[in-house]
Amino acid sequence: MSPSDVDRLIDELTIEEKAALLSGSAPWESTPVERLGITSIWFADGPHGIRRETAPLVSLPATCFPTQSCLGATWDRDLVHRVGAALGREASAQDVAVLLGPGLTMKRTPLNGRNFENFSEDPRLTGELAVAYIRGVQSQGVGASLKPFALNNQETFRHWVSVEVDERTFREIYGAVTERVVRDAEPWTIMNSYNRVNGVFAAQDAWLLTTVLREEYGYAGTVISDWGAVHDRVAAVAAGTDLEMDFTPGREVSALAHAVRSGRLEQSVLDRSVRRVLELLARAASTERGIPLSREEIDAHHALAREAAAAGTVVLRNDGVLPLSPGSGTVAVVGRYAAEPRMQGGGSALVNPTRVETALEAFQAVAGSVAYAPGFSLTDSARDEALESEAAAAAAEADVAVVFLGQTDGTESEGYDRATIDVPDNQLRVLDAVTLTGTPTVVVLVNGSVLRVEPWHESVNGLVHGWFSGQAGGPGVVDVLFGAVNPSGRLSETMPVRLEDSPGFATFPGERGEVRYGEGVFIGYRWYDALDLTVSYPFGHGFSYTTFEYSDLAVEVIDTTTGAVTVAFTVTNTGRRAGAEVAQLYVGDTEATVRRPVRELRGFAKVYLEPGESSRVVLDLNNRDFAWYDVVDALWRRDGGTFVIEVGASSRDVRLSASIELPDDPRIPALTEDTDLGLALQGRHKFDPYDQDEAGRSDARHHAQPGTVDAVPWRALGGFRGQGSAAFG
Ligand code: GLC
């Protein structure tokens, strides 16, 4: 089938066949229509490896790459693209036409059980890496599925909780990722989420799936449902969910056909989705699949998994103990995760690895001598003093101790959230026993999302975050520990001093069916900066084994109308080793009409430099990098005034800064003093708070009078669904 067949097939398909086409025929397969030569295609998870089920929860071997939280810490578009291409190649080999990834979810709370399946707490970093990943996958003739759209930032109540979010927050943070990915990567499919958004199930939300996604973001691909996310198939088609996927698919095919025959659903609306599904099938039909991987490809993918694991490893703290000296001295390797790798989280993303290499094996291959001590049980949270003593004895005899710590399996997964971000107490007891020996100690964190490291991190000599880094994560982190790879990982999510400091703490996981995103746009570092909170390690932080200097910042305003600005600066490797620096560009709006974050990531570059080498980095800014979303006038508004341009090695390690002046955006109506910024309903009122009526109430029109617009509950108006005319750029 080719794209040129689509019009003819729409004419020839019966209503029943069309309805069937809009649902899967099996959990992982679309519906064929043999009569017209329409073949089915296969879908498979997941974001860090192919889970091609051959039986329930049994899948074919595939490379278990580092999870997205590790890839997010690479800040490396090229590397993520290469991982995406390898995933696409493996999907193709297993005759998978659409790979169900990447995750787009913002890390609103460190507790989200699926944080390991997502890149970051920042929409720009997430969007750019998702673009690289999708372009990689789709370069292999396999479709990606950006997921889940939208606002599935927790697993608790995920199937029905209503995320109560204001429109500005949605557009500036949560929607912005999809907007960028649609524009720059054109994913074949986008998967909608289970949850409700301001009371409406995402799969049945026309504002989300048609007004925003298609009419404003310009998405032209196919929207598929999450598995079981459709509650009313007719409403879902009408809203823009083209293909329903489910573990028991096709339940409502007859209802869909009946809805068309009875006039409840316009035939044109049915055909709209039929066209999108046929176009997906035609795309899939245009490439050959099923060519097995060669042995060389399998080995090359394992090597790539190791490279990516090393690149995502973040050196958080180092008093000089790192890098370790290969081939000399004794290393006490403590903690079961060195021998029993915790390479991924649970749920639909689970991969059956082609092979697994452990950190312990890698230590034994590179260190002088190794003493291994498991230190603690993974199945019993109780202290084991014998294991503690064994670990202490090993450390006492060693030149350095490397202690692997992380929460236990079953704490990070699809389907439920974490209860804590603390390292289990029995593991901290082992760390105490090791540090008390006085042997220099390095801790490696093996976790899908951030952990609380206070106060013990100040008593260790080195601290490294290894994430869930896949089947070759062990050797990958050891490559960094011994300096075979100069670390270049940077935090893509803040490490708070305590969970209570995190932005979603007071509202997670919600109550009575709703979770309110009361922090607004202030998630991640935006929150900690707004409250000027101390953090253990900030967004963007990570050490190298060399040093970098920033110099010669030049900010040039190219066009005051479009907001085109170039930011140029020089990065120099001032150390004795080659290495990569992640130079980060942040913008702060100091004179906005609304409350804005202190700084927001608006660009980054990963530059690889030899000792003494310099690189001139030039990053471009455009209007959207300065604008906020004005819900009253339904547009992106750049306030005139002073903007601070910051360049640095993390969100809290600013090396260069400059201020620029930009005027109001002349292309949009200026704010006037009587524009009521508090009123987001139709028909802008002139709101004069001092215009008291006889009852002493200010501006009587704002007190709901029966039958007036104000009297209609905000939700009944579909929340913020009546507006929206965002323009990207
Ligand atoms: C799951 C997940 C989704 C996955 C799908 C198929 O419920 O939410 O990410 O791709 O179903 O397994």
Side-chain angles (χ1 to χ4, degrees), residues 545-693:
Y545 295 149
T546 186
T547 52
F548 297 97
E549 190 177 273
Y550 290 67
S551 60
D552 302 323
L553 175 63
V555 181
E556 185 181 355
V557 178
I558 306 298
D559 184 326
T560 57
T561 298
T562 63
V565 172
T566 60
V567 179
F569 55 93
T570 298
V571 181
T572 301
N573 180 343
T574 51
R576 295 197 304 270
R577 290 190 49 136
E581 172 67 328
V582 179
Q584 301 155 45
L585 168 60
Y586 295 90
V587 172
D589 182 351
T590 62
E591 299 174 63
T593 305
V594 294
R595 180 75 186 267
R596 300 193 71 182
V598 172
R599 59 180 61 81
E600 298 186 277
L601 183 73
R602 295 308 195 206
F604 61 93
K606 189 159 194 175
V607 285
Y608 293 82
L609 298 169
E610 293 299 324
E613 183 186 5
S614 292
S615 174
R616 187 73 178 160
V617 178
V618 181
L619 298 174
D620 295 324
L621 297 172
N622 65 36
N623 192 54
R624 277 288 293 279
D625 295 319
F626 299 104
W628 49 276
Y629 188 77
D630 182 341
V631 295
V632 177
D633 289 327
L635 47 76
W636 289 93
R637 177 177 297 282
R638 183 185 79 227
D639 276 330
T642 303
F643 290 89
V644 177
I645 309 296
E646 296 176 328
V647 170
S650 86
S651 60
R652 293 202 174 173
D653 181 2
V654 173
R655 304 291 182 85
L656 304 169
S657 70
S659 296
I660 59 171
E661 299 296 321
L662 287 175
D664 280 351
D665 185 339
R667 302 167 295 181
I668 59 174
L671 284 176
T672 55
E673 68 283 356
D674 67 350
T675 300
D676 171 24
L677 295 183
L679 188 64
L681 294 182
Q682 286 85 342
R684 314 281 193 263
H685 294 292
K686 281 172 64 74
F687 179 48
D688 174 357
Y690 302 103
D691 171 12
Q692 305 283 331
D693 66 9

Side-chain angles (χ1 to χ4, degrees), residues 495-512:
M495 293 180 74
V497 167
R498 57 190 195 127
L499 178 63
E500 291 82 352
D501 292 345
S502 59
F505 179 75
T507 51
F508 170 87
E511 57 212 6
R512 308 294 289 152

Side-chain angles (χ1 to χ4, degrees), residues 28 45 51 100 114 117 147-148 152 155 158-159 191 194 226-227 247 348 414:
W28 309 110
D45 290 309
R51 183 173 71 88
L100 302 172
R114 295 184 83 171
E117 290 187 62
K147 72 178 189 180
N152 176 189
E155 289 302 285
R158 71 169 175 160
H159 286 278
M191 181 192 298
Y194 289 114
D226 201 339
W227 270 238
F247 295 106
S348 60
E414 174 180 349

Side-chain angles (χ1 to χ4, degrees), residues 9 42 44 49 75 84 91 95 122 146 179 199 236 286 315 331 416 420 440 473 481 483 523 679 701-702 710 726:
L9 289 169
W42 284 81
W75 291 63
D95 192 21
D122 177 84
L146 182 68
E179 184 179 17
S286 64
V315 174
V331 179
Y416 50 85
T420 171
L481 294 176
I523 80 164
L679 188 64
R701 283 170 300 183
H702 283 271
D710 293 352

Side-chain angles (χ1 to χ4, degrees), residues 87-298:
L87 286 164
R89 172 69 187 100
E90 295 205 13
S92 177
Q94 296 190 18
D95 192 21
V96 170
V98 176
L99 175 62
L100 302 172
L104 61 75
T105 296
M106 287 287 97
K107 301 188 183 186
R108 172 178 183 261
T109 167
L111 293 176
N112 181 2
R114 295 184 83 171
N115 271 341
F116 72 93
E117 290 187 62
N118 292 287
F119 286 123
S120 166
E121 67 190 31
D122 177 84
R124 183 60 177 265
L125 178 59
T126 295
E128 297 242 22
L129 295 182
V131 165
Y133 175 110
I134 290 167
R135 284 176 174 170
V137 170
Q138 297 185 165
S139 70
Q140 304 301 306
V142 168
S145 190
L146 182 68
K147 72 178 189 180
F149 184 65
L151 296 150
N152 176 189
N153 303 92
Q154 64 186 56
E155 289 302 285
T156 309
F157 318 137
R158 71 169 175 160
H159 286 278
W160 46 269
V161 74
S162 178
V163 171
E164 300 295 303
V165 65
D166 65 283
E167 184 177 2
R168 178 186 164 212
T169 298
F170 170 76
R171 288 184 179 279
E172 290 188 23
I173 301 294
Y174 300 97
V177 174
T178 302
E179 184 179 17
R180 178 175 296 278
V181 172
V182 164
R183 186 195 66 178
D184 294 348
E186 298 178 14
W188 287 16
T189 73
I190 290 179
M191 181 192 298
N192 53 42
S193 59
Y194 289 114
N195 54 280
R196 291 177 288 155
V197 178
N198 294 323
V200 181
F201 279 108
Q204 282 129 219
D205 189 335
W207 181 85
L208 200 63
L209 302 179
T210 297
T211 304
V212 172
L213 185 59
R214 295 198 183 272
E215 294 168 5
E216 293 179 25
Y217 293 178
Y219 185 55
T222 307
V223 171
I224 69 174
S225 74
D226 201 339
W227 270 238
V230 172
H231 299 273
D232 176 339
R233 187 72 190 102
V234 176
V237 171
T241 295
D242 304 310
L243 178 59
E244 176 199 24
M245 294 306 291
D246 197 345
F247 295 106
T248 54
R251 291 169 294 129
E252 296 196 65
V253 168
S254 54
L256 197 51
H258 175 69
V260 175
R261 293 197 181 287
S262 66
R264 180 186 164 206
L265 184 71
E266 292 291 328
Q267 170 90 44
S268 60
V269 174
L270 180 79
D271 288 350
R272 177 181 72 177
S273 286
V274 170
R275 175 177 299 281
R276 293 165 183 162
V277 171
L278 289 173
E279 287 169 348
L280 173 63
L281 299 177
R283 274 177 154 176
S286 64
T287 54
E288 183 185 4
R289 287 186 300 279
I291 300 169
L293 292 176
S294 66
R295 181 73 248 167
E296 293 72 22
E297 285 181 298
I298 294 169

Side-chain angles (χ1 to χ4, degrees), residues 11 517 604:
D11 289 341
Y517 286 17
F604 61 93

